[in-house]
Each structure stands twice: as structure tokens, then as C-alpha cells.
Amino acid sequence: MTMRVIRPGLLTTVQDTGRYGYQKHGVIVSGAMDPFAHRAANLLVGNRDSDATLEMTLIGAALEFTEDALIAICGADLSPTIDGVPVPLWKPVWVKKGTVLESGGCRFGARSYLAVAGGIQVPVVMNSRSTYLRAGIGGHEGRPLRAGDVLKSGPLPEQSALMIRHLRTHAEEGAFVPAEWGIGPELLPMYESQPVIRAIRGSQWDWFAADSQEAFFSQPFRVTPQSDRMGYRLEGPVLSLVRQTELISEAVSFGTVQVPAEGKPIVLLADRQTTGGYPKIAQIASVDLPLIAQTKPGDVIRFVEISRAEAEALLLDRECSIRQAKLGIQFKLA
Amino acid sequence: MKVHVEPLGDHAVVVRFGTSIDPHIHGQVKQFSASLEQDPLPGMVEYIPAYATVTIFYDPVAVYERNKGWQRTDGGSRPPFSPYEWYCGQIRERLNSLGEAAPASGRVVKIPVLYGGEVGPDLGEVARHNNLTEQEVIETHASGDYQVYMIGFAPGFPYIGGMPEKIATPRRQSPRLSIPAGSVGIAGKQTGIYPLETPGGWQIIGRTPLRLFRPEADPPSLLQAGDRVRFVPVTEEEFRAYEEGSA
């Protein structure tokens, strides 16, 4: 399958589950900002979790399918249409050759993932297809997509071929055929424009003043315009330390909330640096990373404290549900 | 200090050997890292060594699966098991199996540097700040016994310790918007090398023709944590010759 970029949208990049194994050399992880939506889109078209998708930001790309394709769109609702007809999210969709996928306004969220059966084929750099913008490596020529780019997908997985056969039998005159089933709302993270995000105490929690600790888990914070794939800067109550202690740099992670001297928290996200020297007040539970990834400047978020054990249990329960959904899909195709 | 083990969220563990920049503490970091490199723990994704810590990233799902499998059926409950607790046990076991940390050895990497002039615009400022001549700053910087403590901030960026106090200089009042790749800088008592063109506030005293970040190579970073570094002053012609040789 191939597709041609007519308009690239605001920031459209090739991403996968991230570039792991090279952080000790200072190479950042990158990868999808919303790992759940990325994975769901791949699952719906029969791909592996690690296959590459397109991450579209706020304003989606216009893409022409120059061959028939099996796709799924998950995450933000950027009002996608194919040849002018609205396309459902969170479902496999069989698309006919010569049609054009476009986006309208952003109805919900910030990042939308387009998976194509076979995965987006770009060279693997250090075990990953993710785009690392600052170093100009990975993804499509190490950069965001531009008009005129042509993208290819890899060989069709067996399950994708089954899905296509299944959907084609229902094909009528339209430009595309969605499946009758998909990822149900009960499986989705609690996406909201004002989400409540569960987090555990960070390594330097004890360094913060009692009123700052209390404010962090009770007051609202606003996502500022200084927010991108590297991190979100938040505006809210100023968080202060009991005393200024210097932290020597150590590793940070996806969802680390660090607080520089001026007291405004920064949430580190997919394109975070590998190490940091600011005190860490909290760490977002992995299951809630999709919630913050789908907020945009101006949105208001709140943090609520859970224990490390709870965060772990939530992650394992989410995995159970995804694996059951996967089995359900296989059952439908059998 | 006793080794402290703590969670970094639900998918990583920080192993803390101390809280200061100290060659002995870093020796333990190196020893533990070498052990992980040689024999990775089960379910380990990767590890990040820093000054006094090693952070291990693991896959909680893989760890769970390895110990419990996924036998949950509809309506049934998942057998309780904590990948974190299990991982801490594995880490403790590994730490106990290690002997005394060997004194720092590591390979020595020579870094040719063209000091001053256009490529080292802050050499004069470093000299003024420390009441030295530019030549004295160069000689001092090139005579130091340096150790790479960690790679971070940018791909291949070395945090180098051991610079003589007498050329220590605070960061610039306002950072430069763009510092060329290869620039050698000073920030307080630290010295470092910029692998990519980035904004930055360090005092730039020279430039190396070596490429510190090599995405096509394995490993992609010229320097590794634990390496020892020696700066070697070169002339403009020698600098050019290096550049052409590596092109």
C-alpha cells in the first residue's frame, strides 16, 4: 500500500513504541505520545504493537491512498473524512484506492494515530522507526511529513488479510467500509479535556514543603503554550522546596513531573531528555499517560495520588483487557 | 551509605549508591552497569547510569507473564503479583553477588581541540575570570585528568568531571541560541562537549573535529560513561586534517 501526502497538517511524524536501549548514550526514546491509541490502531488493523503509525497533531494531514488499504484511526478526534464522508474512530476501515483522507476541526484531544495494515515502512534506526526531530534521525527522513512525501506500508500480516476479506464482502459503492466492531468505550482510558491524572510520589517528594505537596494533589494546573512532545509546562500553584538542595543529575522517565527552581512543574513526555537534575515531585501512572498526551494548551488537569502498587495493578489490568480485546478480534475473524 | 533501591513509577527502579559526585561512588555505578551489560536482568529494557545512580527500566508485563502467565478468564481475578517487588529482589541478589568495586580504570580517549579564536569565543572570558592568560587556560584544560561520569542532555553529550578548579567559570549570563557541534565548554567545575548544534549557556573555549554522536555506529556515542578523557591542543591545520580524514 502507498499513500501520498497532499497536506502535512500541523506536525505529522512517524512513531512507534519508542527507541529503547540507547538512553545510556543520551539517545532519547521518542515514540507515540499516546501509547494506548497507537497500540489500539495497530491492533485494529492486525499489526504488531511495535509497528509504526502516523502521529498527527491538532490539524491532521490530507493523504491520498494510491492503493487499497486497511486503516484505523485512534486517539484525538480531528473530524476525519474520506472523500467528504465522516470516518469512525477506533474501528478497522477498508479504504478504496484513489480516495483522500482529510481532517476537519479538532473535536477532542491533541494527537491522532493512523495505522495502516503492514505498518508504515521507514528504515529502522537503532531498533526503532520513531522520528527523533532534534537529531534528524528515524521516521521519514528524520523530519515531519511534507506535501509530496510518499509513504509505503510493509507486507500484509495474515490477520490483516483476513480482515480485508471480511470487510470487502460488505463493500458497496462507498469510498470506504468500516467494520461493525472496534475498541469499545469500556476499554478506553478516561479521555477528557479536563482529566484527572493518577500519579505516585516522586523520588524527591520529601524535599517539597507540606503546602506544596498538598497543592500538587488538590489544585488544578493549566497546560501552557510552552508544551510539546518533549514536555508540558504547567501553570498553577507555585511549588517550593523545604530548602534548596542540589540534586545531581539522574535518569527521568515518561511521565516524570519535575519542578525547576521557579516552582512551575514540567511533565516529561515522549521526547524527554534521558537525565535531569530537577527534583521530581511525582510520576504519572503509565495507564494515565494517554490522558495528558491528549490535552492541549489551555486545558486544565488535576493530579490525584495513588500508590506505586495501585499504579502497577492498573497497568496489569489494562494489559489483561487489551489481550482479551485482541482475542475477541481473532474470534470474530475465525 | 547503604545502597538504596526505589521505584521510578511503575516501570523502573532507581539504584542509588550515594548522593554526591565522587569517584568511589561512581566506581560502584560502573561495576553494577558492567554487570547489567554482561548479564541483563530478566525483563530488563535498558539501564541508565548517572553520577551516583543506575536506573533500570523493565517491562512489568513481561515480568508478570514470566512469573504468572495470563490465566485470567472472564470474570475471574488476576493472581496478585508485584513485578516491582520481584525486580527489587533480583536487584538485591545481583548487588550481593558483586565484590568490592575495582578502582576506576576505563579506556583513555584523546580529544583533539582547537582552542580560542572563532571556535572558542569565551576563552578570553575564562582567562579574565581566573586571572590567567589564555595560554595558561589552554594548558590547564589540556593537562587535566578527566572522567566521563555519564552521557545525557543530548545524544553523546558527556558529563565530564575532574577539571582543575583554577579554570572554573560560571555559565554565561544569557545562553547562546546556537552552539556548533563539537564545541568544548566550561560550566562551573564541569567541562563538556556539544555533540549536536543546540542552544546552550556554557563558556565555549574551543572545538573538536571529532563526531561525538554517530547514529550509524554501534555504540552511537564516541564516549561512554567510565571513559577517561584527555584533551590535546591542535593547530588549525591539524584540525582541518582531522575533519577531512573523518569526512
Side-chain angles (χ1 to χ4, degrees):
Chain A
M1 194 283 318
T2 57
M3 49 190 188
R4 197 171 59 83
V5 179
I6 299 170
R7 285 187 307 276
L10 189 60
L11 174 66
T12 302
T13 56
V14 176
Q15 299 293 346
D16 61 13
T17 43
R19 182 168 285 113
Y20 284 96
Y22 294 88
Q23 288 199 86
K24 59 175 173 282
H25 304 299
V27 176
I28 67 172
V29 173
S30 314
M33 284 279 277
D34 179 342
F36 179 87
H38 164 84
R39 188 177 180 188
N42 270 332
L43 192 151
L44 288 168
V45 297
N47 287 350
R48 288 162 303 184
D49 294 348
S50 57
D51 283 327
T53 63
L54 289 185
E55 180 182 273
M56 303 192 263
T57 319
L58 295 168
I59 302 169
L63 304 165
E64 182 191 353
F65 293 95
T66 45
E67 288 169 51
D68 290 353
L70 176 67
I71 67 165
I73 303 170
C74 295
D77 183 352
L78 307 180
S79 314
T81 57
I82 290 178
D83 285 3
V85 182
V87 189
L89 271 69
W90 305 102
K91 281 183 175 191
V93 179
W94 182 64
V95 185
K96 285 185 193 162
K97 173 186 172 175
T99 56
V100 174
L101 171 72
E102 287 180 281
S103 297
C106 175
R107 274 202 215 110
F108 165 78
R111 295 175 173 89
S112 192
Y113 294 83
L114 171 68
V116 180
I120 307 284
Q121 275 317 92
V122 293
V124 173
V125 180
M126 290 180 252
N127 291 339
S128 169
R129 295 190 168 87
S130 288
T131 313
Y132 177 2
L133 292 171
R134 176 163 263 178
I137 61 171
H140 185 77
E141 299 173 1
R143 59 168 173 80
L145 297 188
R146 288 184 201 143
D149 286 344
V150 173
L151 298 168
K152 288 187 188 329
S153 63
L156 215 55
E158 197 183 329
Q159 195 168 357
S160 313
L162 277 174
M163 283 190 200
I164 291 172
R165 209 172 309 142
H166 180 84
L167 291 173
R168 259 191 173 151
T169 57
H170 299 81
E172 287 156 27
E173 286 310 294
F176 66 90
V177 185
E180 280 152 13
W181 44 271
I183 302 263
E186 71 286 353
L187 255 183
L188 299 188
M190 285 174 283
Y191 287 126
E192 261 189 76
S193 62
Q194 308 216 337
V196 175
I197 294 167
R198 291 167 288 190
I200 72 172
R201 293 176 178 191
S203 301
Q204 286 79 38
W205 166 262
D206 291 340
W207 295 19
F208 289 87
D211 56 345
S212 292
Q213 292 176 341
E214 208 215 308
F216 182 77
F217 281 126
S218 59
Q219 300 296 309
F221 289 88
R222 190 176 292 276
V223 177
T224 70
Q226 289 82 48
S227 296
D228 57 19
R229 282 185 43 92
M230 185 174 178
Y232 275 20
R233 282 168 187 272
L234 305 179
E235 188 80 55
V238 170
L239 305 174
S240 57
L241 299 176
V242 178
R243 60 176 196 289
Q244 284 298 327
T245 316
E246 207 189 329
L247 177 69
I248 53 173
S249 291
E250 58 186 43
V252 295
S253 187
F254 199 169
T256 297
V257 186
Q258 60 174 24
V259 184
E262 93 270 5
K264 293 177 188 170
I266 300 174
V267 183
L268 298 176
L269 299 169
D271 282 353
R272 66 198 174 273
Q273 66 275 28
T274 57
T275 55
Y278 296 125
K280 300 178 273 296
I281 192 168
Q283 176 73 37
I284 294 176
S286 293
V287 288
D288 282 353
L289 290 170
L291 305 187
I292 187 148
Q294 294 298 354
T295 60
K296 46 185 172 289
D299 287 348
V300 170
I301 64 176
R302 280 171 193 278
F303 295 101
V304 60
E305 184 179 357
I306 61 170
S307 69
R308 197 262 320 137
E310 286 171 299
E312 191 174 56
L314 287 167
L315 185 155
L316 294 171
D317 287 344
R318 162 88 43 92
E319 185 66 28
C320 278
S321 321
I322 294 174
R323 287 181 186 222
Q324 277 183 342
K326 217 174 203 169
L327 285 176
I329 290 172
Q330 277 163 7
F331 184 71
K332 281 198 180 74
L333 294 174
Chain B
M1 175 180 158
K2 234 183 117 231
V3 182
H4 187 72
V5 178
E6 65 187 46
L8 177 63
D10 47 32
H11 59 277
V13 181
V14 184
V15 182
R16 202 178 289 283
F17 294 95
T19 54
S20 58
I21 301 177
D22 172 292
H24 175 70
I25 291 170
H26 194 69
Q28 292 175 272
V29 168
K30 276 165 67 174
Q31 187 195 26
F32 187 52
S33 300
S35 155
L36 295 174
E37 190 68 41
Q38 214 169 24
D39 183 14
L41 292 172
M44 184 172 102
V45 176
E46 63 180 320
Y47 67 92
I48 304 182
Y51 286 110
T53 55
V54 176
T55 301
I56 300 177
F57 293 78
Y58 61 94
D59 178 349
V61 169
V63 170
Y64 185 88
E65 192 157 27
R66 176 191 174 88
N67 287 279
K68 290 284 160 191
W70 290 98
Q71 62 268 70
R72 184 164 100 161
T73 50
D74 280 323
S77 65
R78 182 172 54 73
F81 172 82
S82 166
Y84 170 76
E85 304 286 352
W86 185 83
Y87 228 84
C88 286
Q90 295 286 310
I91 289 169
R92 287 281 173 205
E93 241 172 68
R94 178 62 65 89
L95 286 168
N96 290 338
S97 75
L98 302 177
E100 269 299 290
S105 51
R107 66 186 179 138
V108 176
V109 182
K110 289 186 176 164
I111 308 280
V113 181
L114 175 61
Y115 285 99
E118 247 172 68
V119 298
D122 301 323
L123 180 64
E125 174 56 28
V126 172
R128 256 191 308 282
H129 181 83
N130 293 291
N131 285 320
L132 298 171
T133 65
E134 293 192 1
Q135 193 52 40
E136 284 168 330
V137 172
I138 295 171
E139 281 164 15
T140 309
H141 191 258
S143 72
D145 179 18
Y146 299 107
Q147 154 122 31
V148 178
Y149 278 98
M150 55 189 267
I151 307 289
F153 171 66
F157 185 98
Y159 284 80
I160 300 172
M163 193 180 75
E165 190 96 46
K166 66 188 232 197
I167 54 170
T169 312
R171 285 178 169 79
R172 286 169 53 84
Q173 286 287 327
S174 77
R176 287 195 170 86
L177 289 176
S178 165
I179 292 181
S183 292
V184 176
I186 288 177
K189 282 186 287 180
Q190 300 182 86
T191 182
I193 310 163
Y194 284 84
L196 296 179
E197 183 183 324
T198 55
W202 291 33
Q203 306 278 1
I204 303 302
I205 60 169
R207 193 181 299 172
T208 178
L210 297 185
R211 282 170 65 226
L212 272 79
F213 178 52
R214 310 164 172 214
E216 71 289 349
D218 188 19
S221 175
L222 172 69
L223 295 171
Q224 316 293 322
D227 284 346
R228 306 193 76 77
V229 163
R230 187 151 293 250
F231 293 103
V232 182
V234 295
T235 63
E236 211 161 329
E237 284 103 57
E238 287 170 322
F239 184 91
R240 292 249 158 71
Y242 265 108
E243 274 191 321
E244 278 153 24
S246 69

